Structure formats: C-alpha cells, structure tokens
C-alpha cells in the first residue's frame, strides 16, 4: 500500500484499486463536497496549470455526470463522465467512469463509501476495472499523485465548510 498526502492506495485482487483517506469533517459535509458542482470545481483538478472547466452533476440514480479538465497553458482538454448507479446519501455512491480519449481500456465502476466516527470521515473509493491490463495501466499512471493533490484540497475545503 502506498501513502501520499494522507491518501492510501492499494491494488486489490486482479481488477481493483482501493483509495482511502480520512477527512476532519462529518460525512454529510464530505458527501456534499463530492456531489455539488460548485464545490467539486474547487478541489477536483490536478497540478497547475490544470483546472476543472466543466462540472455537471445530475445526482440521481440513472443521472449523468461530466467533468472536463483544461490546461490553462496549452488549452488541451481531458473529459470523463458516467452514470450514477446507486446513491445513498451521505454514505455511499456508485458510478461508472469513462474517459473521452480512453487512456485505459473500457470503463471503471467506482464505489465510494463514507464512514464517520467522532466527526472524522473515512473515505474509501473502490475502482473496479474491466481487465487487469486496465487496472495496471492506471496504477502506472500519475493518477496517484493527482488524486493525492485533489484529496488534499478536498480536506482543506471540508474543514473550511465546517468552520
């Protein structure tokens, strides 16, 4: 298991990656920051010069979401989206994810579980891929560093929302 800025990341079985991080906020606040477009735009982006230019979330079972990241330096874009399969606010989200320009084969299924104990929320996201090749491609990518940076920003955001 690797640890980056409070994010623990591990391969599980042949198809999954599990990411875990604690947030010093109640799960209702973390859930809101994961599902409210104005809040998601404040934390879900990679290193400079990237920004989340498009964030659309139709938070209902069967509803779609769409993210487009834009590089402010060269104008390049990366888009992804999917469908919500299960929503049990504020403890569980299940959604698909597929990138516009697929950099790994197929789509992933992301199950996010939020558990709260004494005002601290443990975030566990299980990413399930269609093949071991897809999972291993993601493990070899800079996804871990980008996710670590994003979740660090999320930690700061949820703390500020509780202040």
């Amino acid at each position: 298991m690797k640890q980056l800025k409070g994010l623990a990341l591990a391969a599980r079985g042949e198809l999954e990656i599990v990411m875990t991080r604690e947030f010093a906020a109640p799960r209702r606040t973390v859930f809101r920051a994961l599902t409210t477009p104005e809040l998601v735009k404040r934390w879900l982006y990679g290193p400079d010069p990237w920004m989340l230019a498009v964030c659309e979330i139709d938070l209902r079972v069967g509803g779609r979401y769409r993210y487009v990241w834009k590089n402010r330096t060269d104008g390049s874009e990366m888009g992804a989206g999917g469908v919500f399969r299960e929503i049990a606010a504020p403890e569980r989200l299940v959604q698909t994810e597929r990138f516009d320009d697929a950099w790994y084969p197929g789509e992933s299924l992301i199950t996010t579980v939020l558990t709260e104990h004494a005002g601290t929320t443990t975030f566990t996201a299980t990413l399930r891929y269609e093949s071991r090749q897809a999972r291993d491609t993601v493990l070899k990518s800079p996804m871990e560093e980008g996710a670590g940076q994003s979740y660090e920003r999320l930690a700061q955001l949820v703390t500020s929302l509780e202040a």
Side-chain angles (χ1 to χ4, degrees):
M1 180 179 298
K2 294 181 184 179
Q3 192 89 18
L4 178 71
K5 293 189 180 195
L7 176 67
L9 186 139
R12 184 170 71 189
E14 300 239 337
L15 302 177
E16 295 180 342
I17 296 172
V18 179
M19 297 189 300
T20 307
R21 189 169 192 312
E22 288 191 347
F23 296 99
R27 71 179 175 182
R28 65 177 162 65
T29 302
V30 177
F31 187 88
R32 184 167 61 103
L34 293 172
T35 58
T36 305
E38 310 81 62
L39 298 177
V40 173
K41 288 181 90 169
R42 292 172 56 184
W43 65 268
L44 186 61
Y45 57 91
D48 278 337
W50 289 93
M51 63 178 275
L52 186 57
V54 175
C55 181
E56 300 167 347
I57 298 173
D58 180 8
L59 190 62
R60 61 183 175 85
V61 173
R64 303 189 68 78
Y65 72 95
R66 174 108 177 112
Y67 304 142
V68 178
W69 295 270
K70 186 171 186 163
N71 184 308
R72 292 184 301 253
T73 302
D74 65 15
S76 60
E77 292 184 346
M78 179 176 68
V83 175
F84 292 103
R85 291 194 176 168
E86 183 181 335
I87 300 167
E91 63 266 356
R92 184 176 163 92
L93 279 173
V94 179
Q95 65 205 61
T96 62
E97 178 181 74
R98 183 180 296 270
F99 282 83
D100 297 351
D101 295 321
W103 56 278
Y104 64 83
E107 71 179 11
S108 64
L109 182 66
I110 303 169
T111 301
T112 302
V113 176
L114 303 174
T115 54
E116 182 180 344
H117 180 72
T120 297
T121 299
T122 301
F123 163 95
T124 304
T126 303
L127 294 74
R128 184 173 182 83
Y129 296 90
E130 292 181 4
S131 68
R132 183 176 187 153
Q133 173 197 1
R135 193 270 320 259
D136 290 350
T137 297
V138 173
L139 284 173
K140 292 174 188 169
S141 78
M143 179 274 287
E144 181 180 353
E145 183 177 342
Q149 291 174 3
S150 290
Y151 292 134
E152 181 62 23
R153 285 188 295 266
L154 177 58
Q156 293 169 11
L157 174 64
V158 296
T159 301
S160 74
L161 292 173
E162 283 300 304

